[in-house]
Amino acid sequence: MPLNGENRAIVKLGLDNLNEMQRPGLEALLKIAKISSEKIDATMVGFQIAPRLNAIGRMADAKTGVQMLLAEDEASALKLAQLVDQSNQERKQLVDSIAEAALAQAQNEFANDSVLVLMGQNWHEGILGIVAARILDATGKPTIVLNQTDNLAKGSGRSVTGFDLFAAIDPHRDLFINFGGHALAAGMTIEVQQVDQVRQMLNDAASAQSFDAQKKKVLAIEGTLTGQDFNADFYQQLQLLGPFGAGNPEPVFKLELDDIENVKTMSEGKHLRFTGVIRQQPIPVIAWQKGLLANDLQGRFKKLTVVGTIDQNTYRGATSYQLIFKDIEASGSALVDARTTHLTKQMFDRSVTYLFFNQRMQQQLTPLITNSGTALWWEDAFNVTQLDRVVFVDLPQNLDELHQVLAYVPIGSWETIFYTKNPAYLQKIPARDDFAKFFKFIQQQETIALKTQFEAMRQYLKMDDLMLKLVIQVFLDAKFVTIEDDLLKKVLAPTNVDLTTMPSYQNFLQKREVEAKLIYSTTAELEQLLNELAQDD
C-alpha cells in the first residue's frame, strides 16, 4: 500500500505508539538481534523487525511471532524471540543457497531471456518471493522462481516498472493451475510440462510491452549534498517528511566525490562499505547487496558521483551519519592496479575476462579460471563486441600490442596484474666485458654439457642464472656457438658481429622498457600511460 494520506498517518501514529509502550517481546527481539537504537523508526521496522516476524511465518508457525509480541514477562519473551531470530537466520541461509543456484541459471541457461523463469527441486516455497526479488535486483529482469515437486511447479514472481506481470499472465490463465497477483508480484502453480511454454509466453509479452531489461531504472534525485549536510539537524529535518515507503520514497541525493577510500566487503562479500571523500571530509557509505562492486571501486577515476539516502548510525553511544548507496556514476579510466609478483588461485575466481599476451602462460593458467571467468588471447579480443571488465594478466611483448587492445577493443574497465616470472628490469644488462669473458671461456672448452655443467660454469664466470642464459642465447643468435643434444660447442672462426644487435639482446632491452613502464611505475604514471595508449591512431 502507498505510504501517503491516511496510511502515512496510521504508520506514523503506530511508530509513536511503539516508542511509548514497553513490549517485552519486542525488546527481547531487539536485544537478541543486537539492534541498538534510542528510537524505533520505519527503517528499523522495515529492515530489522518485520523481516524477522515475516521469517517465522515462512519457515515455521506465525503464531510464535504473535505469542512473542503478546508476551508479558521477560523470560518467556526472550525464549520466543530466540525462536523468531533462529527462523530468520535459517531463512537467510536458505535464501543465499537458493539464490546462488537460481542466479547461476539466470546467467547461463537463460542469459538471453528478458523475463526469467527459474526452477529447482527442494527449493523452500516460503522464500521463493525473496529469491525472485534477489535475482531481479541482480539482473534487472522480471523473475519467477519455482519449486518442482513431482509434476507440479509452485512459486512466486517479482517484476519492475515497465513490465506488467499480471497483464502478461492474465490472458493465458489456461497455462496455470492457480495464479494471482498484480503488476509487480505474483504467485502461481504450473504443471512442469507447461513451464517452457510459460517462459516463452512471458518473453513474448516482454517484446509486446517493449520491455528493455538493459534500461536502468530512473532515480529521482532531490538535490546535491556536501559533506557539511551530514549532521543531526539536516537529518531530523528530513525525518519530518517520513515515515518513508511506497508512495512516499525517502529523498535521494547525489554527492560529487573527490575520491573513494577503504573499500571493504561485509557478510562474506555480499555487502560493501567504503569512504567517500569530499574536500578531505570522509563520508561513510553502505551499499547493501553490492559486494561485487568492490573491485571496480578500487580503480582511479577522474569524476565520481554517488547517489543515496542519508542514514543515522548509532554505535556504542556515538551517533554519526552515513549514505545508503543507490547508484554510482564514474568517468575517466577505471583502472584497478593489482600488479603483483606472485599469482594466487583467488585471482582467477571472478566473472571477468582474463587477457593474455603470452600463449604459454594462457595455457598454464586457464585451468585456474572459475566462476564464469574467461581466458582470451589478445589477438582474439578484436573479434569481441564488448568486454565489461578485462584483467591484463601478463606483459605484452611491446607497448604497441597493448595500444592495439586499449584503443580498438571496447573495454569497460581495466585491471592490471602484469605478471612476469623473470623480470628483466631487475636483471643486470650484459656488458662488453661479460661477453668477452664468456667468449674466452668457451674457446678453452671442447664441449659443455649444459644439464650437468651449467651451474659450475655460472659460478666460474660469476654470473647469475638469468644473465648467463641470456649471454648463451645472444651467442647462439650470433652463431658463435651451437647446441646439439644439450651440448654447447664453440664455432670455429665465427663471423665478427655486434652482439648488442642480436634479436635476443634487443628483445631483452625491449622487455626491460615494457617492465619499467608497466610494472615499475606508480599507479598515477600507469594510469596516464594506459589512457595515452587507449587513444586512436
Side-chain angles (χ1 to χ4, degrees):
M1 297 295 291
L3 202 56
N4 50 37
E6 64 181 12
N7 289 344
R8 177 169 173 262
I10 291 169
V11 173
K12 186 178 187 307
L13 292 171
L15 289 172
D16 291 342
N17 186 267
L18 281 177
N19 284 286
E20 289 173 2
M21 298 182 65
Q22 296 294 320
R23 289 175 172 79
L26 193 55
E27 290 182 358
L29 184 63
L30 296 178
K31 180 179 180 181
I32 289 174
K34 298 179 180 179
I35 302 170
S36 60
S37 178
E38 295 179 357
K39 183 178 180 180
I40 297 175
D41 57 17
T43 299
M44 185 185 295
V45 171
F47 292 95
Q48 301 283 4
I49 299 172
R52 287 173 165 81
L53 293 173
N54 183 276
I56 194 70
R58 293 177 181 273
M59 304 299 298
D61 190 343
K63 290 180 181 178
T64 304
V66 177
Q67 291 168 350
M68 181 199 72
L69 292 174
L70 295 177
E72 296 182 355
D73 64 277
E74 185 176 341
S76 59
L78 191 61
K79 183 177 180 180
L80 291 165
Q82 288 172 337
L83 293 175
V84 170
D85 194 65
Q86 181 180 342
S87 291
N88 189 53
Q89 295 302 322
E90 293 172 359
R91 188 269 305 170
K92 284 183 178 180
Q93 293 173 2
L94 274 175
V95 168
D96 289 345
S97 175
I98 296 173
E100 182 179 357
L103 187 59
Q105 289 186 22
Q107 294 175 336
N108 293 291
E109 297 104 298
F110 308 113
N112 296 323
D113 287 5
S114 296
V115 180
L116 298 169
V117 179
L118 313 172
M119 182 169 65
Q121 294 183 334
N122 300 316
W123 287 3
H124 195 295
E125 293 177 5
I127 60 171
L128 297 186
I130 300 175
V131 174
R134 179 82 64 87
I135 304 303
L136 170 63
D137 185 58
T139 64
K141 299 179 180 181
T143 302
I144 292 173
V145 181
L146 302 167
N147 175 57
Q148 178 183 348
T149 304
D150 297 327
N151 296 323
L152 295 181
K154 185 177 180 181
S156 298
R158 297 292 184 269
S159 190
V160 293
T161 302
F163 182 73
D164 189 325
L165 186 58
F166 184 87
I169 293 178
D170 193 45
H172 305 277
R173 286 179 175 267
D174 56 306
L175 297 176
F176 298 82
I177 296 174
N178 291 307
F179 163 72
H182 52 82
L184 299 180
M188 64 210 66
T189 302
I190 315 170
E191 290 185 3
V192 171
Q193 63 183 9
Q194 300 281 37
V195 170
D196 286 340
Q197 191 172 347
V198 168
R199 182 179 290 115
Q200 184 61 53
M201 175 269 292
L202 288 170
N203 279 278
D204 290 343
S207 298
Q209 293 188 28
S210 300
F211 173 71
D212 182 4
Q214 302 302 318
K215 186 177 180 179
K216 290 190 174 183
K217 180 181 177 182
V218 177
L219 273 174
I221 299 173
E222 302 300 331
T224 301
L225 299 183
T226 69
Q228 302 301 319
D229 294 311
F230 285 76
N231 57 61
D233 183 57
F234 186 70
Y235 178 78
Q236 293 303 328
Q237 289 184 50
L238 287 178
Q239 299 318 298
L240 296 176
L241 303 174
F244 302 111
N248 185 37
E250 191 168 1
V252 174
F253 300 96
K254 70 176 180 179
L255 288 84
E256 306 287 352
L257 302 181
D258 299 323
D259 198 4
I260 286 177
E261 298 176 346
N262 305 319
V263 179
K264 295 180 180 179
T265 58
M266 305 178 291
S267 299
E268 298 181 347
K270 284 198 303 183
H271 310 306
L272 180 70
R273 61 185 174 92
F274 60 89
T275 302
V277 180
I278 305 176
R279 297 181 181 177
Q280 298 184 338
Q281 180 177 350
I283 304 296
V285 180
I286 303 294
W288 305 117
Q289 302 296 336
K290 299 296 182 181
L292 293 177
L293 287 178
N295 285 312
D296 293 331
L297 295 181
Q298 301 283 359
R300 294 168 58 86
F301 302 90
K302 291 182 178 178
K303 185 178 180 182
L304 285 163
T305 301
V306 65
V307 296
T309 59
I310 294 182
D311 180 53
Q312 178 178 272
N313 180 41
T314 300
Y315 181 69
R316 292 183 177 178
T319 298
S320 60
Y321 298 89
Q322 59 193 15
L323 188 82
I324 302 300
F325 178 99
K326 295 293 184 183
D327 206 347
I328 190 169
E329 182 181 53
S331 62
S333 70
L335 168 65
V336 174
D337 186 352
R339 290 176 290 182
T340 183
T341 58
H342 179 65
L343 298 178
T344 65
K345 288 184 179 180
Q346 289 74 21
M347 293 178 181
F348 301 94
D349 65 355
R350 293 182 287 132
S351 299
V352 298
T353 299
Y354 296 92
L355 190 139
F356 293 85
F357 293 97
N358 184 297
Q359 285 187 312
R360 183 177 179 183
M361 184 169 290
Q362 180 181 357
Q363 293 170 356
Q364 292 173 340
L365 296 178
T366 295
L368 299 180
I369 298 175
T370 59
N371 197 27
S372 302
T374 57
L376 184 65
W377 170 240
W378 76 278
E379 291 183 359
D380 294 334
F382 301 99
N383 300 321
V384 181
T385 56
Q386 177 65 42
L387 295 172
D388 292 332
R389 185 166 194 79
V390 169
V391 177
F392 293 102
V393 179
D394 54 1
L395 290 172
Q397 288 190 342
N398 52 64
L399 293 180
D400 185 63
E401 288 183 356
L402 184 57
H403 161 63
Q404 295 298 322
V405 173
L406 293 176
Y408 302 108
V409 177
I411 298 174
S413 59
W414 314 321
E415 183 170 332
T416 56
I417 293 179
F418 287 149
Y419 172 78
T420 182
K421 186 176 181 180
N422 298 311
Y425 188 77
L426 301 179
Q427 186 180 334
K428 179 185 174 184
I429 300 176
R432 181 183 181 88
D433 289 345
D434 297 310
F435 289 132
K437 183 166 54 174
F438 182 72
F439 184 80
K440 181 178 179 181
F441 173 77
I442 62 171
Q443 294 305 311
Q444 299 170 353
Q445 313 295 322
E446 290 296 324
T447 60
I448 301 171
L450 292 175
K451 189 172 183 179
T452 58
Q453 295 179 299
F454 180 88
E455 180 60 24
M457 177 173 58
R458 185 192 68 76
Q459 292 183 14
Y460 178 80
L461 294 171
K462 297 181 180 179
M463 294 184 183
D464 65 44
D465 184 270
L466 294 176
M467 182 175 177
L468 179 54
K469 288 179 179 178
L470 175 60
V471 170
I472 292 173
Q473 187 59 53
V474 171
F475 271 55
L476 280 169
D477 290 348
K479 295 183 171 54
F480 282 11
V481 296
T482 61
I483 297 178
E484 294 181 12
D485 298 327
D486 203 42
L487 294 177
L488 178 70
K489 297 180 180 180
K490 63 187 175 185
V491 173
L492 300 176
T495 302
N496 189 30
V497 296
D498 183 354
L499 295 178
T500 62
T501 65
M502 294 299 99
S504 55
Y505 186 85
Q506 290 298 312
N507 289 339
F508 169 74
L509 294 181
Q510 183 173 263
K511 189 170 186 289
R512 282 177 58 89
E513 179 187 5
V514 169
E515 289 178 10
K517 293 184 176 181
L518 298 184
I519 297 180
Y520 299 98
S521 55
T522 65
T523 299
E525 291 169 340
L526 178 62
E527 179 186 22
Q528 181 178 353
L529 174 64
L530 296 184
N531 281 324
E532 292 173 356
L533 293 175
Q535 302 303 311
D536 295 348
D537 291 327

